[in-house]
């Protein structure tokens, strides 16, 4: 009997425990439902506040004093636009607009209009350059009527391969010498870097003794300071003044050309020197261990390694030869420009530009096939 009572008590306790657990679960469920309802209310309120914020940003809301926030990514974009703004303005006003103007001049008959000539040009409000479409007549005239443009063009193109070859070979030779270890190497490198700083057109003309082209009437002290044709004086000093004049002229021309060659090789020498310094020492050590000579090392390691810089120097040298101030085509273009013949001048310049572009495309397509690009 006692055992039966104890079993009933245990059953009652278990039932009470189950009832209590059920009550607890129901309470937890009710709390979760309340929290879910509150969350739903908050979620519904957020779009309303966001909509109200958008309205306030448009000036329709009740709180126009609330500040708008700019994201970090948008700030970076604005900083970038501000950084290139000056360059963009300079490019537009100093490159794009003159470029379009030159195209307009090349396709037009240009006339200088002064105050007294305004009555003949009713479409102009003041002095300036009057342009009238002439149906590509300027481009036809430079090849048919102009007697100097085509010969100068042929002379410039024919002289370019020889000048380019000499400049590249000489600059590579100087770079190989400057890459060696010797006393005074820093001073020697500085000497060959001087042309990069001062070898501009006017300075080079002054150094060569062409004072008149730079508007200098009496500057004998400068001409004697930078005189390069000193062969005659040297031969006279050595007692060989009775030598043939043709030989003296030939030696003087060689000395002058050598001087100009040195002054035109500054940038190419620096580029070649930087390329030579990128050759790993492990390659040199491995070549020495294999018994390679200096000649073999140059053609099998040095030359392929610096071949990309050879292409870069080739393109730079070709452009430099074509736009050199002593180039006959450039001299004629500048001469027409100073004579107020802007139509012919710009037509010559654009034709020359297209020819140079085609020449560069052909040279790049041929030479790039032999360039070795090292891939890590």
């Amino acid at each position: 009997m006692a055992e039966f009572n104890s079993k009933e008590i245990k059953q009652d306790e278990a039932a009470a425990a189950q009832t209590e657990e059920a009550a607890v679960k129901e309470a937890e469920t009710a709390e979760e439902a309340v929290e879910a309802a509150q969350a739903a209310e908050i979620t519904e309120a957020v779009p309303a506040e966001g909509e109200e914020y958008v309205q306030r940003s448009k000036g329709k809301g009740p709180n126009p004093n609330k500040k708008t926030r700019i994201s970090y990514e948008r700030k970076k974009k604005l900083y970038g636009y501000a950084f290139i703004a000056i360059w963009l303005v300079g490019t537009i006003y100093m490159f794009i607009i003159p470029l379009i103007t030159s195209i307009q001049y090349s396709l037009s008959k240009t006339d200088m209009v002064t105050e007294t000539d305004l009555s003949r040009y009713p479409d102009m409000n003041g002095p300036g350059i009057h342009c009238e479409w002439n149906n590509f007549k300027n481009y036809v005239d430079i090849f048919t009527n102009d007697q100097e443009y085509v010969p100068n063009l042929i002379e410039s193109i024919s002289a370019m391969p020889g000048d380019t070859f000499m400049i590249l070979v000489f600059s590579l030779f100087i770079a190989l010498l400057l890459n060696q270890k010797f006393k005074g190497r820093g001073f020697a490198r500085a000497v060959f870097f001087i042309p990069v700083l001062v070898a501009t057109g006017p300075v080079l003309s002054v150094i060569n003794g062409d004072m008149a082209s730079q508007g200098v009437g009496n500057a004998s002290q400068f001409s004697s300071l930078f005189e390069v044709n000193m062969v005659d004086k040297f031969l006279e000093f050595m007692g060989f003044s009775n030598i043939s004049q043709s030989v003296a002229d030939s030696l003087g021309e060689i000395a002058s050309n050598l001087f100009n060659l040195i002054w035109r090789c500054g940038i190419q020498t620096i580029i070649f020197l930087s390329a030579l310094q990128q050759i790993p020492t492990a390659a040199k050590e491995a070549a020495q261990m294999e018994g390679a000579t200096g000649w073999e090392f140059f053609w099998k390691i040095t030359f392929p390694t610096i071949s990309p810089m050879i292409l870069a120097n080739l393109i730079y040298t070709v452009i430099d030869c074509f736009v050199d101030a002593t180039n006959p085509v450039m001299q004629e273009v500048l001469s027409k420009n100073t004579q107020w013949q802007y139509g012919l001048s710009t037509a010559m310049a654009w034709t020359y530009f297209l020819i140079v572009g085609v020449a560069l495309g052909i040279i790049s397509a041929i030479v790039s096939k032999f360039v070795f690009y090292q891939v890590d």
Side-chain angles (χ1 to χ4, degrees):
M1 191 67 179
E3 294 177 358
F4 179 75
N5 292 332
S6 63
K7 289 181 179 180
E8 290 181 353
I9 293 171
K10 290 181 179 179
Q11 290 177 357
D12 293 339
E13 291 178 354
Q18 291 178 357
T19 303
E20 186 177 356
E21 290 178 359
V24 171
K25 289 181 178 180
E26 291 179 358
E28 292 178 353
T29 304
E31 291 179 358
E32 291 178 356
V34 172
E35 292 177 356
Q38 293 176 352
E41 292 177 358
I42 294 173
T43 306
E44 292 177 357
V46 169
E49 293 179 358
E51 184 177 356
E52 183 181 354
Y53 176 77
V54 172
Q55 292 179 354
R56 287 198 302 268
S57 64
K58 295 180 180 179
K60 299 178 181 180
N63 187 13
N65 294 326
K66 189 172 181 179
K67 296 181 179 179
T68 59
R69 294 183 179 179
I70 303 176
S71 63
Y72 178 68
E73 294 296 330
R74 186 171 179 79
K75 284 183 179 180
K76 290 199 299 183
K77 292 180 181 179
L78 293 177
Y79 291 154
Y81 291 141
F83 183 77
I84 67 172
I86 298 177
W87 172 86
L88 189 62
V89 172
T91 302
I92 293 173
Y93 283 95
M94 301 181 66
F95 179 75
I96 296 179
I97 293 179
L99 189 70
I100 297 174
T101 304
S102 67
I103 296 175
Q104 180 185 4
Y105 287 171
S106 68
L107 299 173
S108 305
K109 178 180 179 299
T110 58
D111 295 319
M112 288 295 301
V113 180
T114 61
E115 289 285 353
T116 58
D117 299 330
L118 285 176
S119 58
R120 294 187 299 165
Y121 302 94
D123 56 333
M124 296 190 64
N125 298 324
I129 300 175
H130 180 266
C131 297
E132 181 181 355
W133 169 261
N134 62 356
N135 197 18
F136 296 96
K137 186 176 183 301
N138 293 329
Y139 290 94
V140 176
D141 288 342
I142 62 176
F143 288 104
T144 58
N145 296 333
D146 194 290
Q147 299 179 358
E148 298 180 355
Y149 183 72
V150 175
N152 290 336
L153 191 62
I154 296 174
E155 181 182 353
S156 300
I157 296 175
S158 60
M160 183 270 296
D163 293 344
T164 302
F165 178 77
M166 289 297 298
I167 291 173
L168 290 179
V169 172
F170 187 78
S171 59
L172 179 58
F173 175 73
I174 296 299
L176 290 171
L177 292 180
L178 296 177
N179 195 42
Q180 305 297 322
K181 294 182 179 180
F182 57 90
K183 293 184 178 180
R185 182 176 63 175
F187 175 76
R189 290 180 178 179
V191 169
F192 281 95
F193 184 71
I194 290 176
V196 180
L197 302 177
V198 298
T200 59
V203 175
L204 190 59
S205 298
V206 172
I207 291 176
N208 288 333
D210 186 10
M211 299 296 178
S213 64
Q214 305 305 321
V216 181
N218 185 12
S220 58
Q221 68 274 18
F222 292 104
S223 60
S224 61
L225 179 63
F226 293 107
E227 188 172 7
V228 296
N229 189 12
M230 301 181 64
V231 177
D232 294 337
K233 295 182 179 180
F234 178 75
L235 293 176
E236 182 179 357
F237 175 77
M238 296 298 295
F240 300 103
S241 57
N242 295 327
I243 196 171
S244 175
Q245 186 63 34
S246 61
V247 176
D249 294 339
S250 300
L251 293 176
E253 184 178 357
I254 293 173
S256 179
N257 292 335
L258 181 62
F259 182 81
N260 293 332
L261 182 64
I262 294 174
W263 278 84
R264 295 177 64 182
C265 291
I267 294 178
Q268 292 88 335
T269 302
I270 294 173
I271 294 176
F272 277 138
L273 183 59
S274 63
L276 292 172
Q277 293 176 350
Q278 299 300 321
I279 299 177
T281 56
K284 300 179 182 179
E285 295 174 356
Q288 292 177 355
M289 293 178 63
E290 294 294 333
T293 61
W295 183 257
E296 294 173 340
F297 180 79
F298 174 78
W299 287 109
K300 294 182 178 180
I301 296 179
T302 302
F303 193 81
T305 303
I306 67 173
S307 58
M309 293 299 102
I310 294 177
L311 177 60
N313 272 337
L314 176 62
I315 295 175
Y316 174 83
T317 306
V318 169
I319 296 175
D320 187 59
C321 291
F322 276 129
V323 300
D324 186 31
T326 60
N327 189 294
V329 176
M330 294 299 298
Q331 289 181 345
E332 185 177 3
V333 170
L334 296 176
S335 175
K336 296 293 184 183
N337 186 61
T338 55
Q339 296 173 9
W340 311 106
Q341 300 180 14
Y342 293 122
L344 289 175
S345 177
T346 52
M348 291 178 180
W350 276 107
T351 305
Y352 192 51
F353 171 76
L354 294 176
I355 294 174
V356 173
V358 172
L360 286 175
I362 296 173
I363 293 172
S364 301
I366 295 174
V367 178
S368 60
K369 295 181 179 180
F370 303 95
V371 175
F372 172 75
Y373 294 99
Q374 185 176 0
V375 180
D376 297 333

